[in-house]
Amino acid sequence: MKISTKGRYVTVIVTGGTGISTTAALWEMGIYRLELDGEEIDRTADAIDAIGEITNENYLSKLPDMEAAEGMVNALLERYGDDMENYIPNIGELRAARERCDRFQKIDLAIAAIGDIGGVTAENYASKLSDIEAAEDMVDALTKEYGEEIRSEISNQKDLTAARETYDRFAAIDHTIAAIEAIGEVAKDNYSGKLALIEAAENAMDQLTAAYGEEISALSLIHISEPTRLLSI
């Protein structure tokens, strides 16, 4: 353990409690003596032990105990330096508890974001895009940090998949309708200029059919104005 005081290493003696006594390296010929409070170290270790197991069901209730233990550790580190961690026997358990808590919190935030999407319909799908993308970004961040298996812990992952599929479906329908309606009336004096629009609409219809079947293509035609629909049949 190296604890520096004004550039000099110190002799460290742990008093009280169950701390370990040791002598650190000396700098030059100066010998300095620093007494650590072993009882304070023991109290910090006990506070870490008091946290117990962190689960998805209890992590919120464990936060006060965890933060209290972290505060005690930070106070020791601030007073004696980062090497003080070597004298806290269960510091690894505190770090692991924090990591588990952060993991569960991120999962719950993703679950809440998915829940906020709500139902996706033909009337509201466009307004739902930002919510869908926000939830997808949160899930993607989780998979990058913890791996694809984290998806199994997101209880409403299927709802997000369904929301995206529903959005894409309605967006494809409206895109096809808009492409057909963009053709307008085809007459003898303008038909050659309409060819590009007609082909674009046909491509959109083909893509819609390939993705969702003939039924969805027929459904999209229902929403097209009558003159344009007659031209597309």
Side-chain angles (χ1 to χ4, degrees):
M1 177 178 181
K2 297 177 180 179
I3 300 179
S4 179
T5 302
K6 295 183 179 179
R8 296 175 178 270
Y9 291 122
V10 300
T11 299
V12 179
I13 298 178
V14 180
T15 61
T18 58
I20 302 173
S21 297
T22 186
T23 300
L26 302 179
W27 185 73
E28 291 183 348
M29 297 300 293
I31 299 177
Y32 293 82
R33 180 184 179 89
L34 177 65
E35 292 188 354
L36 305 181
D37 187 347
E39 292 182 355
E40 183 178 1
I41 296 173
D42 284 349
R43 287 194 296 272
T44 301
D46 289 343
I48 295 173
D49 286 339
I51 297 171
E53 182 182 4
I54 302 291
T55 68
N56 188 37
E57 290 74 27
N58 71 13
Y59 81 90
L60 287 175
S61 67
K62 295 287 187 177
L63 276 175
D65 288 341
M66 187 187 315
E67 291 172 350
E70 288 174 333
M72 295 173 73
V73 168
N74 290 336
L76 285 172
L77 298 182
E78 183 176 352
R79 190 177 312 148
Y80 300 115
D82 291 342
D83 285 335
M84 189 64 210
E85 288 194 3
N86 298 327
Y87 282 80
I88 304 173
N90 53 357
I91 187 69
E93 296 175 16
L94 178 60
R95 302 291 186 241
R98 168 52 69 183
E99 289 175 2
R100 286 181 62 80
C101 182
D102 289 347
R103 174 190 175 100
F104 291 134
Q105 191 167 36
K106 291 173 185 176
I107 290 172
D108 279 356
L109 287 173
I111 290 172
I114 294 171
D116 287 342
I117 296 172
V120 180
T121 67
E123 291 73 27
N124 71 12
Y125 81 91
S127 67
K128 296 289 185 176
L129 180 58
S130 60
D131 289 339
I132 293 172
E133 290 179 336
E136 288 175 334
D137 288 344
M138 295 180 75
V139 173
D140 288 344
L142 279 171
T143 60
K144 289 179 181 177
E145 185 172 0
Y146 300 107
E148 286 293 327
E149 61 273 11
I150 196 72
R151 292 182 187 274
S152 64
E153 299 181 51
I154 303 172
S155 58
N156 54 357
Q157 168 69 55
K158 291 182 179 179
D159 294 341
L160 177 58
T161 301
R164 166 53 75 179
E165 290 176 350
T166 303
Y167 171 86
D168 288 346
R169 177 172 173 267
F170 287 130
I173 291 172
D174 279 358
H175 171 72
T176 303
I177 292 172
I180 295 173
E181 291 187 334
I183 299 170
E185 183 179 358
V186 180
K188 183 177 180 180
D189 58 351
N190 71 4
Y191 75 92
S192 61
K194 297 287 186 176
L195 182 58
L197 293 174
I198 293 171
E199 290 177 342
E202 288 174 335
N203 288 334
M205 184 67 77
D206 289 343
Q207 292 175 10
L208 188 67
T209 301
Y212 301 105
E214 294 287 346
E215 298 81 3
I216 199 71
S217 297
L219 179 62
S220 69
L221 292 177
I222 295 175
H223 303 282
I224 302 173
S225 61
E226 186 67 20
T228 304
R229 178 152 50 89
L230 291 174
L231 288 171
S232 65
I233 297 177

